[in-house]
Structure formats: structure tokens, C-alpha cells
Amino acid sequence: MGVDGGLADPKGRAELATEKYTDSSRKKKRRQKKPASTPSAVQRLFETCKEVFAHGGRGFIPSADDVERLRSVVGRVDVGYAYCSLQDLVHIGIFCLPQAAVIPLHNHPGMTVVSKLLFGSMHIKSYDWVNDPEGSNEKIKSSNGTCLAKVNTDAIFKAPCETSVLYPTTGGNMHCFTAVTSCAVLDVLGPPYNDDEGRACTYYKEYAFSSFPGKAIGVSGESKEYAWLEERESKPDDLVVRGAEYRGPKIVGR
């Protein structure tokens, strides 16, 4: 009776055993559950926003620790996401601006906003209202109804740069963006704009401090640090914002 040479050879038996072990290993690996994938940056941002703004509302200001935690998470988000919202608690969006495009001076009533410049260069000018120095907590107004504001920021930023935070009354609540180059900025707004809840977006015209002399007695600092702001009746006619559907990684729990 003949014997197959491959089976009679010890080396052949070893090769066969190896093949069987390899096949068994492959099947076992296929049966094993895949390890959970690391949450995407936008998923982490979404979950952090849910926690930070869980009890938010008009004028709600997160704790310093929560702001720092959110700032850190925003700082790790890369470009490539569009816009999504978490019910009425917070909105997350990216504004993409071609070179020389402008988002006019506008406010964020009762809101905390965390922003990160994702790429490109942008000029940012921001203001906060100046209250009556006599302690009435009222805005300083001119004879024609314009209100006095103090410059918070007036500079060009280039990505990568520090993530910024503005608050209901500080940090440059009213700001204007001008694209020095094509650029994109990520904004996290909590709570978001809502006309019915008194958080309508208001746009402003700027006038030099010297336009209404003598109306701000007692204000300290140089005149270039201040400006008079007048509310516009409506959004500027030349402002066009086109929305885009969110197409990034799936957000669990949205």
C-alpha cells in the first residue's frame, strides 16, 4: 500500500498542523467582538455640551471648570464638520468664510460662546457694553440713542490659536469677523439664539467715540478704546449665510 510522502514526512505534518492552527485562529478572531472605537472629536464635543449646558437658559454661565473643559474639547476638533443642535440647549456650527467676507457686528444675548479658528486668518473686533459709572448698571446712551461700548479685542488671528470664550456681559459679547484669508471658525453657543426666549440676534452700526463728545463723562481710557453702537433694524442686506447639512461622523444620542 502506498503512503503519501507529504504525510509520512514529519516536516509535512508540522506544516499541516500550522495550517489548521492558522485557520482556527482566523475563525476565532472573526468570532471575537471588535473593540469599541474611540469616540470622534465631534462626539466628545456633543457629549460635553450636553453635560455643561444641561441646566442652561438665558444668562446661564457654566462654571469656570466646565468652561475650561469645553474649551479643551473644542480645541481638539478638526475642520470638516457643519452644523448640529442639541435641542434648545446648545448649537454647534462652523462658519466658512471666503477671503474678505465679513460677518457684521452682532451680539449674543445671555449666551456663552466658545470659538476656535480652524484654519486661515481672521480679523476679530469685539466689544462689551459700558455701564453708567454711577452704579445704575444702565448702558451709557447718547442723545440719539446709541450706546457706549468698550473694545475687548481688535486683532488678526491665525490658526492654530487659542480657543476663545465670550460671556453674556464680558469677553467681547458683540463681535465682527473679517476673513483675511479663506478661513473657518467653530462656534459652540449655549443657550442658542431664540427670539421667543429673548435671545434674538441684533446687528449694530459703529460710530467713533468722538462722534458724540461729552456724552461719556467719567469713562477712563483712550477714546480709541470706545465706540458708539446703534442697533440695526434688521439683518444687513448684504449678509448671506448658506446652511449645510451635517455630514460628519455619526453622533450617538443626538
Side-chain angles (χ1 to χ4, degrees), residues 8-182:
D9 182 7
K11 182 179 178 182
R13 289 197 298 271
E15 290 175 349
L16 180 59
T18 301
E19 289 175 3
K20 288 181 178 179
Y21 175 78
T22 302
D23 290 342
S24 173
S25 254
R26 288 173 181 165
K27 290 177 182 178
K28 186 177 180 181
K29 286 181 179 179
R30 283 197 294 267
R31 287 195 298 266
Q32 289 177 343
K33 291 184 178 180
K34 294 182 178 179
S37 59
T38 303
S40 66
V42 73
Q43 179 70 46
R44 289 194 296 271
L45 174 58
F46 178 81
E47 292 171 354
T48 304
C49 287
K50 280 203 302 184
E51 296 169 5
V52 171
F53 293 102
H55 306 290
R58 180 179 172 83
F60 170 76
I61 302 177
S63 68
D65 287 344
D66 279 343
V67 168
E68 190 55 40
R69 183 158 61 101
L70 184 55
R71 186 207 297 262
S72 176
V73 173
V74 169
R76 293 195 293 269
V77 175
D78 201 352
V79 69
Y81 304 114
Y83 173 88
C84 64
S85 64
L86 174 56
Q87 298 174 357
D88 296 324
L89 299 178
V90 61
H91 281 187
I92 305 168
I94 290 180
F95 291 94
C96 300
L97 287 73
Q99 186 176 15
V102 176
I103 297 181
L105 185 64
H106 62 284
N107 70 345
H108 306 82
M111 300 158 66
T112 299
V113 182
V114 181
S115 301
K116 178 191 177 184
L117 185 62
L118 297 173
F119 68 83
S121 298
M122 172 184 286
H123 177 263
I124 300 176
K125 189 169 187 179
S126 66
Y127 295 93
D128 289 310
W129 295 119
V130 177
N131 291 332
D132 192 321
E134 296 182 359
S136 64
N137 205 33
E138 295 290 330
K139 299 174 187 174
I140 297 177
K141 295 185 177 181
S142 68
S143 56
N144 70 343
T146 59
C147 295
L148 188 66
K150 185 174 183 179
V151 175
N152 176 272
T153 302
D154 187 6
I156 294 176
F157 295 84
K158 182 178 180 180
C161 56
E162 183 179 358
T163 301
S164 63
V165 184
L166 65 81
Y167 300 92
T169 59
T170 61
N173 185 274
M174 298 161 288
H175 63 204
C176 171
F177 292 162
T178 302
V180 178
T181 67
S182 295

